[in-house]
Amino acid sequence: IKVGLVGCGGRGTGAGIIDCAESSPGIQLTAIGDLFQDHLEAAPETIKKNLGRRNLAVDDIYKVTKETTFLGFDAYQKVIDSGVDMVILTTPPNFRPQHFKYAVEAGKHVFIEKPIAVD
C-alpha cells in the first residue's frame, strides 16, 4: 500500500505514519507534503528515527524521494496525485475539509485524525 503523508509536524511524522506502518505489512510511505519548509526538511530523519524505535524496516517502508516531497499550499494535491493508494491527513483541522474532499474525489483511502475538521 503506497501511503502519502500530508502534514509533517509531530503528529504526522510520529504516530500518523508509524502507527500506519505497524498496522500491516507492505506499507510504503512514498510521498510527503507540508506548508512549512522546516517541517519538510526535518521529516525524513524524524520518520526514519521513529520507524527504527519501533523496530520497523526503515528501508522497506520509507520510499520518499526528492520528486515526491512537496512544499506549499498545494502540497496536499501533489501528494494525493503522486500515485498513492491512501493519504494520511495530519494538518491543522481548518485545512482538512478541502484536503479530504480532494482525496475522496481522487478515489483515495483517507486516514484523518480528529477533530476531522473545523466547521
Side-chain angles (χ1 to χ4, degrees), residues 52-64:
R53 283 184 184 158
R54 299 253 187 117
N55 296 316
L56 296 167
V58 175
D59 292 337
D60 293 339
I61 297 168
Y62 191 86
K63 301 292 184 179
V64 178

Side-chain angles (χ1 to χ4, degrees), residues 28-40:
Q28 293 182 333
L29 178 63
T30 60
I32 59 174
D34 200 280
L35 180 60
F36 300 105
Q37 182 75 38
D38 61 328
H39 287 183
L40 211 52

Side-chain angles (χ1 to χ4, degrees), residues 16-17 22 30 36 39 42 44-45 52 63 65 67 72 75 82 95-97 99 103 107 109-110 113 118:
I17 186 56
E22 248 185 353
T30 60
F36 300 105
H39 287 183
E45 182 180 328
K63 301 292 184 179
T65 66
E67 292 76 30
S82 71
F95 291 106
R96 291 194 199 137
H99 296 177
H109 296 276
V110 179
E113 53 181 14
V118 176

